[in-house]
Amino acid sequence: MKTLLAVLIIVALIMFFTRPSIEKHKAAITDEIVKAAQLGGLDSTAIVCWDFEGKNAELVNQAKNNPDAARKAVAEEVGKSLTVKDFWLCNVGTVTLNGKSQNVSFGAFGHVFCTGTK
């Protein structure tokens, strides 16, 4: 029993000290959006932040022709509406656009996992 408790405490401490920063969340979401745009898979119904106020066609074209510029534009848009809520052992990124909020990322053990993609 003591061994199990010790292992749980160690895992909890590792999780606490390796929670990803807001910048990691922003970078992971940006990468997912640009990757989806390059594949032509941007869909405003996939996730709240994917729509960018009707600019999907422009972003898809830019992502294919100039991925670095697209990444910069997407990072700027994501940064405007991203909030990261801390839950001590992990954190969750939420994007709010047009009054709608949606969880878009989950961070734990130093990694960020994006949610809401098709």
Side-chain angles (χ1 to χ4, degrees):
M1 187 65 155
K2 288 182 182 180
T3 305
L4 177 62
L5 183 59
V7 169
L8 290 176
I9 290 171
I10 290 170
V11 169
L13 286 172
I14 291 170
M15 288 179 75
F16 178 78
F17 288 111
T18 60
R19 288 170 297 163
S21 67
I22 192 168
E23 291 303 317
K24 280 193 173 188
H25 279 267
K26 187 172 153 182
I29 294 165
T30 298
D31 289 344
E32 284 294 317
I33 292 172
V34 171
K35 188 186 330 175
Q38 288 172 333
L39 297 174
L42 275 177
D43 182 355
S44 61
T45 62
I47 196 166
V48 172
C49 70
W50 267 219
D51 188 17
F52 291 118
E53 300 173 8
K55 298 179 183 175
N56 283 348
E58 180 182 322
L59 180 61
V60 168
N61 190 27
Q62 187 178 32
K64 289 180 181 178
N65 296 327
N66 190 352
D68 291 332
R71 189 168 273 107
K72 184 177 177 183
V74 170
E76 184 177 318
E77 290 294 324
V78 169
K80 290 178 187 176
S81 59
L82 177 68
T83 57
V84 176
K85 194 169 187 179
D86 191 15
F87 293 102
W88 290 86
L89 302 180
C90 62
N91 47 30
V92 175
T94 303
V95 171
T96 304
L97 289 175
N98 302 326
K100 296 179 184 177
S101 293
Q102 185 169 352
N103 295 337
V104 294
S105 61
F106 173 79
F109 294 107
H111 297 285
V112 176
F113 306 94
C114 291
T115 60
T117 58
K118 286 186 175 182

